[in-house]
Amino acid sequence: RAGVGKSLYVKRLHRQLTAIGEKGGPFLKTIRLIEPQVDESKVLRSLLPFLSKTYERAPVIFHFDITSSVQSGISEFLFKLLVLQYLMDDDIKMWKRNPYHLYLVETLEGSAVAPKKSARLVSRGPQYHFLDLFSKVTCRAPKEVLEIEMQSQKPQHSADPGMDLEEFRSEAFQRPFQYLTRFRQNQNLDLFNYEAGSVEGSPTECLQLLLIYCGIMDPSWAELRNFTWFLNLQLRDCESSLFCNALFVQDVLQGFKTFVVKFMILMAKDFATPSLNISDQSHGSMAPVNLVDIKEEDIAPFILRKRWETEPHPYIFFNADRESMTFIGFHLQPNGNTRSVDAINPTNGKIIERNVMTMELYRGLQLQR
């Protein structure tokens, strides 16, 4: 699966080896394979410069990124590279592995790394992929990582990465996590601001909360980061706004920051939710589908996206001055029964969100016109 941190793992490993190595550590060379058939000549042209004397005794990490578009030639290529330890083209140009080289092969699970066999042969015994001969690290999606952490299934000395600790401690994750924690506990956010460098909770707690609010049932790390990145930017602008500064507005706009944060969470969820009309998620031909054996959780993501595309979306944007803001996609309407204010669809008057603010805050906003 794409977007689960494979390239990030390579980046972190390179940095670790650089920290413990001499003379600046190993050089990292990434070679990305994107064509349907592995072109060994093209790979060889990327490798040949490293035969020079400059790299003769220098440690080099070669990161071979085999994308999902590669359909054939993988097994043959990797057998030559990893077992025979050489490549050669039609011009008799040859690459031979140096003992100072480290090969990292990034591939999706289920890639065509083994020749296809008939069903008759498959049923005779356990099947193995060619890559099973080598040590491997499995990068998992956030939901799977959380399930393993919650059930304590992860081996004590497992090399498989979970949530990246550097990402967990970063502002992009910590600010949204700290706000979401307090928002979920119904705390007043008027006096709360994120302190740079502060770290709260654990990776498991952070992951659990982000999965609750991101709006995607089984997101990749890339999708989860899109959610936190967008929410972090909006929350940072919120903290800079005078209208969200409790010391400035005092009792006039009490509860306004909590109201703003609530809509920012909805905006970030919308930002992270994929559309139905995304070309790289298309299933190709629209052949009839048998829905009898399809589980509810398999259909739920499509129902969510369809509902997203047909429902109104209330947004609050901070303007270029980073202080004032613009309300888009909703109107505020006092509710006499609850003495609170609802957010309504301006086109048909239907309620989008009930009890978004108190009447006191609503009157305070009217005074700001």
Side-chain angles (χ1 to χ4, degrees):
R1 179 177 177 178
V4 292
K6 296 184 292 294
S7 295
L8 179 62
Y9 176 84
V10 173
K11 179 181 177 182
R12 295 286 188 258
L13 179 61
H14 174 240
R15 193 166 67 183
Q16 291 174 14
L17 295 177
T18 300
I20 62 177
E22 299 178 357
K23 299 180 181 179
F27 182 84
L28 174 62
K29 171 64 177 178
T30 297
I31 301 175
R32 186 164 286 108
L33 284 68
I34 59 175
E35 297 179 358
Q37 170 74 31
V38 175
D39 188 341
E40 294 183 12
S41 297
K42 185 175 291 186
V43 175
L44 188 60
R45 287 196 294 271
S46 299
L47 293 172
L48 288 177
F50 293 91
L51 289 178
S52 65
K53 289 186 177 181
T54 305
Y55 299 100
E56 187 175 357
R57 298 180 64 83
V60 181
I61 299 175
F62 291 99
H63 170 210
F64 297 93
D65 183 2
I66 304 176
T67 63
S68 59
S69 59
V70 182
Q71 300 298 318
S72 61
I74 300 176
S75 297
E76 296 84 353
F77 166 68
L78 293 179
F79 181 77
K80 293 177 182 178
L81 185 72
L82 303 178
V83 178
L84 302 181
Q85 301 188 2
Y86 86 95
L87 292 175
M88 186 171 63
D89 64 7
D90 295 335
D91 298 327
I92 320 298
K93 293 180 180 177
M94 180 180 290
W95 165 265
K96 187 176 180 181
R97 182 181 175 272
N98 187 311
Y100 292 92
H101 295 167
L102 172 64
Y103 291 159
L104 300 176
V105 180
E106 175 182 339
T107 183
L108 300 179
E109 218 167 10
S111 297
V113 294
K116 294 183 179 179
K117 300 180 180 179
S118 65
R120 184 171 55 187
L121 293 176
V122 170
S123 62
R124 289 184 177 178
Q127 299 299 307
Y128 300 97
H129 286 298
F130 169 69
L131 291 180
D132 290 338
L133 298 172
F134 305 93
S135 59
K136 69 175 182 178
V137 170
T138 302
C139 297
R140 296 179 170 85
K143 185 178 179 181
E144 189 177 356
V145 169
L146 181 62
E147 289 172 350
I148 293 174
E149 294 290 345
M150 296 290 286
Q151 298 173 13
S152 301
Q153 294 178 348
K154 187 174 182 180
Q156 186 175 1
H157 301 292
S158 173
D160 296 348
M163 183 176 189
D164 185 79
L165 291 180
E166 186 172 327
E167 290 289 305
F168 164 68
R169 298 186 182 111
S170 68
E171 175 190 322
F173 276 83
Q174 275 296 315
R175 180 184 271 117
F177 171 61
Q178 292 181 23
Y179 270 93
L180 288 172
T181 299
R182 289 160 175 80
F183 178 78
R184 187 168 177 80
Q185 296 170 352
N186 294 318
Q187 295 185 22
N188 188 343
L189 299 176
D190 286 3
L191 295 175
F192 175 73
N193 278 321
Y194 165 76
E195 294 184 10
S198 63
V199 177
E200 294 183 3
S202 66
T204 302
E205 293 170 337
C206 178
L207 197 53
Q208 189 174 22
L209 199 58
L210 294 180
L211 288 173
I212 291 173
Y213 283 101
C214 77
I216 305 176
M217 291 186 64
D218 187 12
S220 65
W221 286 108
E223 290 170 327
L224 198 64
R225 182 167 176 79
N226 286 342
F227 170 76
T228 61
W229 174 82
F230 184 84
L231 182 56
N232 179 54
L233 290 180
Q234 295 299 310
L235 291 173
R236 192 166 60 191
D237 289 342
C238 174
E239 291 177 348
S240 301
S241 173
L242 290 176
F243 290 101
C244 295
N245 187 332
L247 298 178
F248 176 76
V249 299
Q250 297 183 3
D251 294 337
V252 179
L253 296 179
Q254 187 174 3
F256 181 64
K257 185 176 180 181
T258 303
F259 161 75
V260 170
V261 170
K262 181 176 184 177
F263 276 86
M264 285 181 172
I265 295 171
L266 293 175
M267 286 171 56
K269 184 185 297 186
D270 278 355
F271 179 81
T273 303
S275 169
L276 278 170
N277 301 316
I278 296 181
S279 59
D280 62 357
Q281 292 188 354
S282 172
H283 294 285
S285 61
M286 297 298 291
V289 178
N290 183 7
L291 299 178
V292 176
D293 298 325
I294 295 182
K295 299 179 182 179
E296 183 179 352
E297 56 265 29
D298 295 329
I299 302 178
F302 297 97
I303 298 175
L304 174 65
R305 297 180 194 177
K306 183 63 177 177
R307 188 168 66 245
W308 185 94
E309 294 190 348
T310 56
E311 289 186 348
H313 302 281
Y315 291 151
I316 298 177
F317 284 107
F318 281 92
N319 300 324
D321 59 11
R322 294 289 189 262
E323 294 181 355
S324 60
M325 61 196 71
T326 301
F327 296 70
I328 299 177
F330 70 99
H331 287 172
L332 297 174
Q333 177 176 280
N335 186 330
N337 297 327
T338 60
R339 291 191 54 79
S340 61
V341 179
D342 300 330
I344 65 169
N345 186 338
T347 60
N348 55 24
K350 290 185 178 180
I351 296 177
I352 301 174
E353 191 80 22
R354 294 184 181 274
N355 304 327
V356 294
M357 66 173 63
T358 63
M359 283 299 299
E360 290 75 16
L361 176 57
Y362 179 68
R363 297 189 189 99
L365 286 173
Q366 287 183 314
L367 296 175
Q368 307 305 314
R369 290 182 175 180

